[in-house]
Amino acid sequence: MAIKLISIEEARARVLAEALPLPVESCPLPDALGMVLAEDVVSSQSVPVFDNAGMDGYAVRAQDTIDADSDSPCRLTVVETIPAGQVSTRILGKDEAARIMTGAPIPSGADAVIQSEAVEEEQDEVLVFEPVKPGKNIRRAGEDVMAGDRVLATGSLLGPAEIGLLASLGRPTVQVHRLPRVAILSTGSELVEVDRPLGPGQIHNSNTYSLQAQCRQMGIQPVVMGIVPDDYESTRRLMQQGLEYDVLITSGGVSVGRFDFVKDVQEELGVVRRLWGVAMKPGKPLAFGVRDRTLVFGLPGNPVSVMVSFELFVRPALLRLMGYRKTTRPSYRAIISEDVVNSDGRVFVVRVRAWREDGVWHVSLTGAQGSGILRSMVGANGLAFVPGGPRGVRAGEEVEFLLLREDLEEP
Ligand code: AMP
Ligand code: MG
């Protein structure tokens, strides 16, 4: 049976058309990292709430220091010490100073703080050597956030700074689109778990692990359903369980082999097919569909196909479920360093090392590019797209690529 292939862009559009942001729920602040805000956050309080000292030093009345200079310092009487967390009950009088710690509320009467390093203390007096301007070293109430400010808008991505800001407003929870519940099932009678020795003809199951890691990198903890042998009944039973999740990802068994049951099982379970077959390599026999609200991805089995298909189709869908508006990686044009032959009409998605030289991106293949050669993914920080055609690309020509990670050092 021939597969009718569609383009990568068309396939992604069909996948995204089925992926709507998940319902909104309240999430404890620490768990909200990487999630998308589903409310406008309006602050009910100012931050800081009160005027406070920006330095350890002395709270003073600026007018008392007008005549200070280095030869004839003015002397102020130190009348109290105000640690952070404590509110003074006195009013600072003429020629008085209060020893004050960073973050402590400014006592009434004071309008400036002189830092400790600028003064000298003698018994219960402090010597000031130059005039201080009113307002100096005072952090004003509301200088960060005013009560009533809209500090974060629906759709904001919650990173460490946003989470810190919410905490500063005294918010223990925040409304977000909940994380997708994802199930991963690997099919294949040849597969053996990683803690088991290999028998004849067997291989270790790696797809479960790379897929799980790709999910975890997005902050999603998937449920691992393990391995199912190439047996129709077992595959049906497990895939049926997998339909309880928001997303079911299977690997393998989706091609045209005699023991490839995933497509048939999808159909029997009422999964409405949205695509089968993408004009790319690796990753051609992708079978995607929906059952009720569950997105069902039948990824091919080859270890590189699995990772590339996740990157190009599953990740964007998961991001959309999480409420992200932008679901694609940054993409650039780059000069490729070697010839890549690609004559069969499918886009060749090659794993590359990308780097920038004088503002120009370059990419170079990470070794052999077979769909089973997982080492081509190791050390790759990009996926480059070599168009199908009569000749592929030649060294020095341009290709489009996606930047997958920025943490790899440049060569
Ligand atoms: P399939 O799509 O089931 O025909 O699998 C294609 C290739 O990928 C075969 O060589 C399988 O042995 C291999 N493969 C399938 N599933 C896995 C897996 N979970 N881990 C590693 N290799 C796999
Ligand atoms: Mg198989």
Side-chain angles (χ1 to χ4, degrees):
M1 191 195 338
I3 308 185
K4 187 172 175 315
L5 302 181
I6 59 172
S7 72
I8 294 174
E9 294 71 29
E10 169 69 18
R12 185 158 39 222
R14 290 193 196 177
V15 167
L16 285 175
E18 303 299 336
L20 298 174
L22 289 169
V24 172
E25 67 177 16
S26 173
C27 176
L29 215 43
D31 300 331
L33 179 66
M35 296 176 87
V36 176
L37 190 64
E39 60 173 324
D40 284 339
V41 175
V42 175
S43 181
S44 58
Q45 69 187 43
S46 295
V47 181
V49 178
F50 48 85
D51 290 357
N52 67 92
M55 292 268 185
D56 293 328
Y58 295 84
V60 301
R61 296 157 20 115
Q63 68 200 70
D64 296 345
T65 68
I66 275 177
D67 298 325
D69 75 43
S70 49
D71 297 330
S72 60
C74 71
R75 290 171 172 271
L76 307 175
T77 309
V78 180
V79 292
E80 64 175 336
T81 299
I82 313 172
Q86 206 155 297
V87 179
S88 165
T89 51
R90 310 176 86 256
I91 296 173
L92 201 74
K94 182 165 165 45
D95 294 329
E96 289 182 343
R99 199 178 286 112
I100 193 164
M101 308 305 141
T102 306
I106 302 296
S108 351
D111 61 1
V113 171
I114 306 175
Q115 65 191 98
S116 300
E117 295 85 335
V119 300
E120 278 172 26
E121 203 170 321
E122 264 176 23
Q123 280 105 38
D124 57 355
E125 283 187 334
V126 62
L127 278 58
V128 178
F129 299 93
E130 59 178 346
V132 60
K133 290 209 177 76
K136 180 87 178 162
N137 294 325
I138 292 183
R139 301 192 290 214
R140 291 290 172 200
E143 73 175 21
D144 189 352
V145 176
M146 281 297 199
D149 278 355
R150 190 181 75 158
V151 290
L152 293 171
T154 301
S156 306
L157 175 59
L158 298 172
E162 287 74 16
I163 288 174
L165 181 64
L166 288 163
S168 79
L169 305 179
R171 292 274 314 242
T173 59
V174 64
Q175 296 291 111
V176 293
H177 293 282
R178 72 169 171 78
L179 287 178
R181 292 171 302 124
V182 177
I184 297 171
L185 177 64
S186 287
T187 74
S189 297
E190 73 280 29
L191 302 176
V192 173
E193 274 312 351
V194 290
D195 54 356
R196 289 285 140 100
L198 295 179
Q202 297 183 322
I203 61 168
H204 282 126
N205 167 24
S206 64
N207 290 347
T208 294
Y209 293 85
S210 39
L211 287 169
Q212 183 185 29
Q214 285 179 301
C215 288
R216 287 192 176 187
Q217 209 161 46
M218 305 176 63
I220 296 169
Q221 299 291 341
V223 169
V224 168
M225 301 184 74
I227 297 168
V228 61
D230 294 315
D231 157 79
Y232 190 91
E233 249 330 283
S234 318
T235 306
R236 194 184 60 79
R237 196 165 38 79
L238 281 160
M239 283 182 62
Q240 184 152 32
Q241 290 172 23
L243 291 175
E244 300 298 313
Y245 295 82
D246 299 310
V247 178
L248 168 61
I249 307 172
T250 60
S251 89
V254 79
S255 197
V256 292
R258 157 150 317 171
F259 303 103
D260 289 343
F261 297 124
V262 169
K263 276 194 355 292
D264 291 346
V265 171
Q266 283 186 355
E267 231 152 82
E268 189 190 325
L269 293 175
V271 174
V272 181
R273 170 92 15 89
R274 291 293 184 231
L275 70 96
W276 182 44
V278 185
M280 61 187 262
K281 63 185 179 188
K284 175 174 80 168
L286 169 71
F288 168 76
V290 284
R291 219 284 305 259
D292 299 330
R293 288 256 44 87
T294 301
L295 305 185
V296 182
F297 288 93
L299 305 187
N302 278 304
V304 178
S305 313
V306 157
M307 294 195 72
V308 168
S309 309
F310 182 96
E311 183 56 51
L312 297 183
F313 306 110
V314 184
R315 185 175 180 277
L318 293 174
L319 288 173
R320 181 58 59 77
L321 294 178
M322 292 167 75
Y324 280 65
R325 288 170 195 169
K326 182 174 184 302
T327 59
T328 49
R329 303 269 195 188
S331 124
Y332 306 98
R333 294 192 69 77
I335 296 171
I336 195 159
S337 342
E338 52 263 272
D339 295 352
V340 180
V341 177
N342 184 29
S343 52
D344 74 357
R346 285 185 285 157
V347 174
F348 192 3
V349 185
V350 290
R351 284 71 73 193
V352 295
R353 171 74 121 181
W355 73 98
R356 205 159 25 182
E357 233 173 76
D358 301 327
V360 178
W361 282 103
H362 296 260
V363 294
S364 155
L365 303 192
T366 52
Q369 297 286 317
S371 62
I373 300 179
L374 204 43
R375 283 180 70 179
S376 67
M377 285 298 290
V378 175
N381 61 350
L383 293 177
F385 301 93
V386 177
R391 64 183 191 92
V393 290
R394 299 270 155 76
E397 291 181 351
E398 278 198 348
V399 291
E400 189 88 21
F401 82 101
L402 293 182
L403 186 61
L404 299 184
R405 44 194 288 193
E406 311 206 31
D407 58 325
L408 290 173
E409 277 173 35
E410 298 187 351

